Amino acid sequence: MRALRQVSHEGPKDLTYVEDVEVPTPGPGEVLLRVTSAGVNFADVSQTYGIYDGGPDAPYIAGFEVTGEIVGGDGEVGKHVIGFGNGAFAEYTVAPAAALMPIPEGWRDEQALGLVLNWATALAALKPLGRLAEGETVLIHAAAGGVGQAAVRMAKHYGARVIATASPAKHEAVRALGADVVLDYHGDQEGVAAAVNELGGADLVLESVGGETFAASLAAAKPVVGRVVVFGAVAGNASVSNWELIFKYRVSVIGLHIGALPQHAPEVYGWIMSEIERLREEGVYLPNDPTIYKLRDGARALKDLEGRGTVGKLAIVP
Ligand SMILES: NC(=O)c1ccc[n+]([C@@H]2O[C@H](COP(=O)([O-])OP(=O)(O)OC[C@H]3O[C@@H](n4cnc5c(N)ncnc54)[C@H](OP(=O)(O)O)[C@@H]3O)[C@@H](O)[C@H]2O)c1
């Protein structure tokens, strides 16, 4: 079958289109999917450098977020589903049957990309972990991105005031989602923290950027009551000392990895999934309109994501 194979730890430039891959065989509790689309996530970029904790070692068939038709294994043949399958940038992949979700009625498969990753992560950060309440202010970084767009839509739905950050070329798209204030955060992290504090400070910060932005996020959160949910490090690792937490920032810092929820907090994960279903019924969660790349051009999707040139969700179709 055709697929994208990562052949080094030197980034997306070595994500290589190949035609010589064997169709995988599903094991117990797994299904074989004919891939209809695969979601591109920042984690895919991190994996190509070998810096995603627990990620695969090169060479490997890349991609993990998938929609497809069940064609074999422990599942209902012919059903279209979304889930996680290592090696999703391919014509076929295997996926654990237990983690599959049906494609919402009337949606094309690729329109459901983001359901189990972007929306679940954004919702976990906002509600069960971030405890966002109506009338509060939330600072959402990378708000034009896959997770960011979902977060803005939900935060507005829950009655929050949204301060968003994004590259200037993406501000219009973020405003269209309903953000109240949009800031550029390039090169002036202190300026971002000062701007947020002038607006009264943030009750909640969705911290997915890291690097120099991390300190700005801590400084933008309201002392004592502010929460900073940390779930991404696209600009690099960052740290905070116990002294800084006690005497400088005085905020709550909360780590989030969505993959840990089904195992360590199944009731929280269950609530997230049913809340997403409710948001879909209420028209808050609408079908996605991802930017589509052909499998042959898949490396470009990861390069564009890494280069901050993208808005919203990206998909690779075989
Ligand atoms: N912990 C979890 O469970 C979990 C799950 C899903 C996603 N995530 C994280 O959530 C974040 C968003 O993921 P996504 O897949 O939806 O990606 P994305 O937001 O669509 O893309 C990343 C965005 O981050 C911004 N950015 C800021 N500094 C950057 C830098 N130095 N290099 C590259 N981009 C930079 C860019 O937006 P601007 O150009 O507007 O700045 C870029 O478009 C990532 O940190 C990802 O790792 C975490």
Side-chain angles (χ1 to χ4, degrees), residues 118-310:
N118 302 148
W119 279 74
T121 303
L123 180 53
L126 288 171
K127 275 292 185 185
L129 277 76
R131 306 187 309 278
L132 183 69
E134 193 175 348
E136 286 193 330
T137 297
V138 56
L139 171 61
I140 299 173
H141 289 305
V147 176
Q149 290 204 1
V152 174
R153 285 190 67 87
M154 282 186 279
K156 286 310 298 176
H157 170 73
Y158 292 128
R161 178 173 65 147
V162 173
I163 305 175
T165 64
S167 288
K170 308 176 190 178
H171 283 199
E172 216 32 66
V174 179
R175 271 193 207 98
L177 293 165
D180 298 281
V181 180
V182 190
L183 305 170
D184 178 21
Y185 54 173
H186 290 195
D188 183 17
Q189 299 304 330
E190 283 177 19
V192 168
V196 175
N197 282 315
E198 262 169 44
L199 294 162
D203 298 281
L204 174 63
V205 183
L206 265 50
E207 219 308 306
S208 61
V209 172
E212 290 178 5
T213 301
F214 185 60
S217 295
L218 296 169
K222 289 181 185 174
V224 186
V225 296
R227 293 89 65 194
V228 181
V229 178
V230 181
F231 60 96
V234 290
N237 295 343
S239 57
V240 58
S241 70
N242 52 358
W243 186 92
E244 288 171 317
L245 279 177
I246 300 164
F247 296 108
K248 187 175 177 185
Y249 300 117
R250 299 154 289 156
V251 297
S252 300
V253 180
I254 302 158
L256 162 64
H257 192 292
I258 195 69
L261 267 64
Q263 186 191 347
H264 296 286
E267 67 296 341
V268 176
Y269 192 69
W271 178 85
I272 288 169
M273 285 300 144
S274 55
E275 178 71 357
I276 288 176
E277 180 58 24
R278 207 175 60 78
L279 293 170
R280 195 176 63 75
E281 283 164 8
E282 289 183 2
V284 179
Y285 175 26
L286 298 168
N288 228 326
D289 182 20
T291 304
I292 305 270
Y293 295 75
K294 289 185 183 149
L295 190 62
R296 190 184 282 277
D297 304 326
R300 197 159 51 79
L302 275 71
K303 286 177 196 159
D304 289 349
L305 189 59
E306 180 181 30
R308 312 173 77 151
T310 66

Side-chain angles (χ1 to χ4, degrees), residues 27-53:
E30 291 181 334
V31 296
L32 178 65
L33 293 177
R34 180 184 63 77
V35 176
T36 48
S37 70
V40 182
N41 293 282
F42 208 88
D44 291 304
V45 176
S46 305
Q47 287 189 357
T48 64
Y49 290 99
I51 55 169
Y52 193 81
D53 194 59

Side-chain angles (χ1 to χ4, degrees), residues 3-22:
L4 291 176
R5 182 184 285 133
Q6 179 65 27
V7 297
S8 78
H9 285 164
E10 289 171 31
K13 75 177 178 57
D14 288 332
L15 185 60
T16 310
Y17 177 75
V18 289
E19 298 185 335
D20 61 350
V21 181
E22 275 191 30

